[in-house]
Amino acid sequence: MDRIPDLQSLSKPELADLFSSLGQPAYRAKQVFSAFARGASIGEITTLPKPLRERLSSDYPDATPTIDRKQVSKLDGTAKYLLRLNDGNAVEAVLMKYEHGTTVCISSQVGCAMGCAFCASTIGGKVRNLTAGEMLGEVAAVGRDAGERIDGIVLMGIGEPLDNYDAVLRFLRLANDPDGLGIGYRHISLSTCGVVPKIYDLAKEDLPITLSISLHASTDERRSRIMPVNRRWGLDELLTACRAYFEATGRRISFEYTLIAGENDTPDEAKRLASLLKNYLPDHPLHVNLIRLNEVKETGFRTPDGDSARRFADLLNRLSVTATVRRRLGSDVDAACGQLRRKNAPGGEGNP
Ligand code: SAH
């Protein structure tokens, strides 16, 4: 069932229409829009007259989440947040500091329907989509808590963004508005497990965001085993869509490859991966982000050691596919998507 739209999901022109219908001056739209981007809830916007604030608070759900828990990595300062939504559901967001700026990784759904075998977010399935306002609220609440200007966003938290397409697209446009978060599209990455029709739709939107494809295997047999989405849209369809996306947008696509010990980390797999990518994307600047699996107890999969991950990367590089092993930011703070939410669910180990 669709939820009542929240005010944080509205664009400035939509807020202007709303305030005009309430007999309020036009400047309220920008005032409220900017306050949401700073992480304010409706009740906190004290520049609004009190009766108006009370009316809005009772008519609309508040999409700005509250911070339930925060774990800061002692290793690298990465902060992982458990955020509570207004209906009691929780999602995760992560604040990461890089030399070139501060990025927030956000969730797009409560849970996930995609069923990837190694992932904690999908255990228990999808509960619901987030609204655009809730995604904006994640970025704003984390930025406010950290006292940092947010320079970039990655949609790599809980959920499959292309399975919540309309709200995600609305969110991207809200996040880009200079009166709000003002985040350039080039500083936004969207990661997908491969919902092929939506990759074609995204190519038509003309947004210069970075698309990231979670590949994780180089044969249909293996990919279908660990990623059920591959049974619907196989590697041929996925990589053909990637080529079309690249041709339409000129934007580079990066590939995520989670290394799982004894599953997809063999030299043969690296060789097949290199020829697959070069075959489908011969003119594309290829980049593969290798991620050593964050172990999720329930799945039984194991992470390879650092040496074998480096060997996998070296082999790809020798085959002229640029590959880097991603630093495991926040590996001491349950940084694998969905781990913190699960631990804090009723019956989870953080919440016995
Ligand atoms: N649904 C989107 C985005 C969410 S996950 C997608 O599939 O791309 C972001 C990335 O983390 C994906 O590449 C996902 O496959 C990977 N991932 C999920 N669980 C992981 C784990 N336990 N260890 C390492 N990477 C994981």
Side-chain angles (χ1 to χ4, degrees), residues 276-307:
L276 185 71
L277 292 178
K278 286 196 286 191
N279 183 19
Y280 278 91
L281 296 159
D283 306 318
H284 189 276
L286 291 169
H287 188 97
V288 178
N289 282 312
L290 298 168
I291 313 156
R292 282 167 61 215
L293 179 78
N294 274 304
E295 289 179 6
V296 174
K297 203 176 55 207
E298 290 90 330
T299 70
F301 288 117
R302 292 266 157 257
T303 196
D305 61 39
D307 280 348

Side-chain angles (χ1 to χ4, degrees), residues 105 108 112 114 116 118-121 155-162 190-194 212-216 227 256-259 291-296 299 326 328 336-337 339:
C105 171
S108 54
C112 184
M114 296 296 135
C116 296
F118 46 84
C119 180
S121 301
L155 280 148
M156 287 193 185
I158 297 171
E160 167 50 50
L162 297 187
L190 184 155
S191 177
T192 179
C193 63
S212 234
I213 305 288
S214 298
L215 209 51
H216 307 333
M227 299 180 72
E256 311 284 315
Y257 193 99
T258 293
L259 289 163
I291 313 156
R292 282 167 61 215
L293 179 78
N294 274 304
E295 289 179 6
V296 174
T299 70
R326 189 185 287 167
R328 294 211 296 173
C337 330
Q339 283 186 327

Side-chain angles (χ1 to χ4, degrees), residues 53-97:
R53 234 184 304 149
E54 284 172 356
R55 168 153 186 203
L56 295 175
S57 291
S58 75
D59 286 357
Y60 294 93
D62 209 322
T64 305
T66 52
I67 295 170
D68 223 51
R69 258 168 202 243
K70 177 183 177 185
Q71 298 182 5
V72 181
S73 166
K74 293 186 188 64
L75 305 174
D76 52 40
T78 297
K80 178 132 196 177
Y81 291 84
L82 185 71
L83 301 173
R84 190 67 58 185
L85 303 167
N86 58 41
D87 65 350
N89 278 303
V91 290
E92 296 173 18
V94 184
L95 177 99
M96 296 166 291
K97 292 184 191 170

